[in-house]
Amino acid sequence: QVQLVESGGGLVQPGGSLRLSCAASGFTFSNYVMRWYRQAPGKERELVASITTTSLITHYANSVKGRFTISRDNDKNTVVLQMNSLKPEDTAVYYCNAWRPSPSLDYWGQGTQVTVSS
């Protein structure tokens, strides 16, 4: 059974940090590109960061560049999103996603709430 379980969300003040983790099971983690998405109330889900299978390439949304860092551990089947200098506009539900293009497979976690507020 495929599972992606996010953790680490919560309430933080502006300028603070949070570390989101996603634990994967039930599939060959090292074969999948891992991505973090977020969805704020009333907005479309947006891609925040992605990392290729061997961590060679990472990609970030312009809005988080220089503040967020994505990393993965293929031995532990985990992907982490380190979020620093958080802003109120980072408030959203954050989702872990595993994707491979061929054959096309796409798995999602249940999401974890991040709230940035004073």
Side-chain angles (χ1 to χ4, degrees), residues 19-78:
R19 184 175 182 270
L20 304 184
S21 293
C22 174
S25 61
F27 63 100
T28 307
F29 179 79
S30 59
N31 289 347
Y32 285 73
V33 173
M34 296 303 297
R35 305 186 287 197
W36 285 95
Y37 284 79
R38 67 185 180 187
Q39 188 166 21
K43 294 191 176 181
E44 300 273 322
R45 189 173 294 191
E46 65 169 339
L47 177 63
V48 175
S50 64
I51 186 167
T52 53
T53 55
T54 59
S55 304
L56 186 62
I57 299 172
T58 57
H59 167 82
Y60 298 93
N62 286 335
S63 57
V64 307
K65 273 182 185 175
R67 300 188 297 121
F68 290 11
T69 303
I70 188 170
S71 60
R72 67 188 293 162
D73 186 332
N74 286 346
D75 292 329
K76 296 181 179 178
N77 289 359
T78 57

Side-chain angles (χ1 to χ4, degrees), residues 1 22-23 33 47 71-72 81-82 84-85 90 92 97 102 116:
Q1 181 182 358
C22 174
V33 173
L47 177 63
S71 60
R72 67 188 293 162
L81 185 68
Q82 178 66 43
N84 299 327
S85 302
D90 294 319
N97 169 263
S102 182
V116 184

Side-chain angles (χ1 to χ4, degrees), residues 93-109:
V93 177
Y94 284 71
Y95 297 91
C96 177
N97 169 263
W99 173 78
R100 63 179 295 175
S102 182
S104 180
L105 290 169
D106 203 18
Y107 304 127
W108 291 89

